[in-house]
Amino acid sequence: MSNAQVLALVGSLRADSVNKQIAETAASLAPEGAEVVVYSGLAEVPFYNEDIDVDGKVPAAALELRAAAEKSTAFLLVTPEYNGTIPAVLKNAIDWLSRPYGAGAVVGKPVAVISASPSGNGAKWAHDDARKAVGIAGGKVLEDVELTIGGTIDKFGTGHPRENAEVAGQISTVVTELVKASNELVNA
């Protein structure tokens, strides 16, 4: 596996977010020759608005997100669940990457989703909503690659997800399958 560059978008802006830690774990477990880049600029991206999505008006933060997405060969979305659905910051990133319609940076690229929360359902609703939104935006959601992690407080306590061998193995599997799909698409 080589040449894959996975852009990880995290739906939580908290500095110590378990979802951010999961994305960091994914980055540390990337197969040889592949890279997972955890994007850090989502807090600066303004809410999507067609009035500012025109030449000369697109905010710099949105241009930076699109440039990072254009360079990527696949996407990993890592999301908590806010009020039963996908956090606004992640949905906003998907909205910016879906434009221009039919030719956005996410179109045709493999996507996997990992969700995590302290609840037993592992943010399953947000997981499903993220898959739906990015699929409608044109991403190629990997149907057989899903990971929801529930009970994060009990699983990790004050530790990092990479310290939990079972979860680290599951994250590694998701990243490996995403890189494999990316390489198949690039080499097709």
Side-chain angles (χ1 to χ4, degrees):
M1 293 183 197
S2 61
N3 301 325
Q5 183 166 340
V6 178
L7 185 63
L9 303 175
V10 181
S12 175
L13 299 177
R14 280 190 327 106
D16 295 328
S17 161
V18 72
N19 286 276
K20 180 180 175 191
Q21 293 174 352
I22 288 168
E24 293 167 349
T25 300
S28 72
L29 297 171
E32 188 175 335
E35 181 181 20
V36 176
V37 175
V38 182
Y39 193 77
S40 62
L42 291 185
E44 288 77 37
V45 179
F47 283 113
Y48 183 79
N49 176 346
E50 275 187 274
D51 291 344
I52 60 173
D53 191 11
V54 294
D55 286 341
K57 286 189 176 183
V58 179
L63 289 173
E64 290 168 13
L65 172 63
R66 284 179 172 166
E70 286 291 340
K71 290 186 347 187
S72 72
T73 60
F75 296 90
L76 176 63
L77 308 183
V78 185
T79 186
E81 188 167 275
Y82 292 172
N83 298 313
T85 192
I86 184 174
V89 68
L90 188 56
K91 175 63 169 70
N92 188 50
I94 294 168
D95 290 346
W96 276 104
L97 296 178
S98 72
R99 300 291 191 254
Y101 180 75
V106 73
V107 172
K109 294 181 181 177
V111 181
V113 178
I114 298 175
S115 63
S117 77
S119 74
N121 84 345
K124 179 68 173 140
W125 294 336
H127 186 273
D128 293 345
D129 287 349
R131 289 170 60 89
K132 176 183 173 185
V134 76
I136 290 171
K140 184 181 176 192
V141 178
L142 302 183
E143 294 300 323
D144 297 332
V145 180
E146 293 188 49
L147 179 56
T148 58
I149 305 168
T152 56
I153 293 172
D154 294 333
K155 276 190 175 85
F156 309 133
T158 59
H160 197 285
R162 70 174 163 257
E163 298 167 4
N164 182 301
E166 179 184 358
V167 171
Q170 293 169 332
I171 294 168
S172 179
T173 298
V174 169
V175 172
T176 298
E177 290 301 314
L178 189 54
V179 168
K180 180 180 170 187
S182 172
N183 287 337
E184 288 172 357
L185 189 64
V186 168
N187 297 323

